[in-house]
Amino acid sequence: MDKLALLASMSPDEFERYVADYVLPALGLKVLNVIGGSYDRGCDIIAENVHFGTRICVQVKKYHPNKKVPETDVRDVIYGMRHHRCERGLMVTTSDLSGPALDLAREEKNRRDKRRETNQAHRRAEDPPPGGHAEDVGAIEPNGSACF
């Protein structure tokens, strides 16, 4: 049996366990908790990037290849990231994301990347390099923009 046929033969719960036991470790992620079920609040699995210590909300969806992951499932992951205090979200599926779902995932990634850049600029301004001054690296306005 090839891998795609094996995945197709699994129940949703078996697929979720397969992702936790094999897929995430292969990606360098340590599984912290397998929640699953209909009341998982957007995260089937809480994982951690062992290199960076980043918590990741993992949502697993075993859909027929013809059924695309809807935008609402991505919204659930975003909610789950907040609820479970995760810095990143990961959707693992046997299908593809719909256009609106992919757009929302990209928007969320861009929003988080911008917030991280702003936080890094704040830290640079608060902790100037040796021999430097906070004004050397710029000031951060309340709206998150940097003025240099």
Side-chain angles (χ1 to χ4, degrees):
M1 184 181 300
D2 70 349
K3 289 182 182 181
L4 289 177
L6 175 66
L7 295 177
S9 71
M10 292 179 182
S11 71
D13 289 340
E14 290 170 330
F15 180 61
E16 186 176 294
R17 193 75 243 170
Y18 177 82
V19 169
D21 291 344
Y22 300 103
V23 176
L24 298 179
L27 295 173
L29 303 177
K30 177 183 174 186
V31 174
L32 301 177
N33 193 8
V34 178
I35 303 165
S38 56
Y39 298 103
D40 59 21
R41 298 192 178 189
C43 292
D44 290 316
I45 303 165
I46 305 294
E48 180 181 45
N49 181 312
V50 295
H51 301 291
F52 300 106
T54 306
R55 285 175 55 96
I56 302 167
C57 168
V58 182
Q59 183 63 273
V60 180
K61 294 294 181 187
K62 183 182 180 287
Y63 286 156
H64 186 276
N66 293 337
K67 180 183 178 186
K68 296 195 182 262
V69 175
E71 181 181 9
T72 54
D73 286 353
V74 174
R75 286 190 192 285
D76 289 346
V77 174
I78 294 168
Y79 169 77
M81 291 167 61
R82 292 181 185 130
H83 179 79
H84 295 284
R85 297 186 178 136
C86 296
E87 292 86 16
R88 293 285 183 197
L90 176 64
M91 175 78 68
V92 179
T93 181
T94 53
S95 183
D96 292 314
L97 274 68
S98 67
L102 189 57
D103 290 344
L104 179 59
R106 285 180 179 143
E107 288 170 15
E108 180 67 12
K109 181 185 183 311
N110 289 338
R111 189 182 66 74
R112 289 182 175 277
D113 287 348
K114 286 178 184 173
R115 185 170 63 207
R116 185 173 38 259
E117 289 169 9
T118 300
N119 289 341
Q120 289 171 347
H122 276 290
R123 283 192 292 278
R124 285 192 306 268
E126 292 169 359
D127 299 322
H133 301 284
E135 5 349 312
D136 294 340
V137 293
I140 306 301
E141 300 293 25
N143 66 0
S145 62
C147 298
F148 294 93

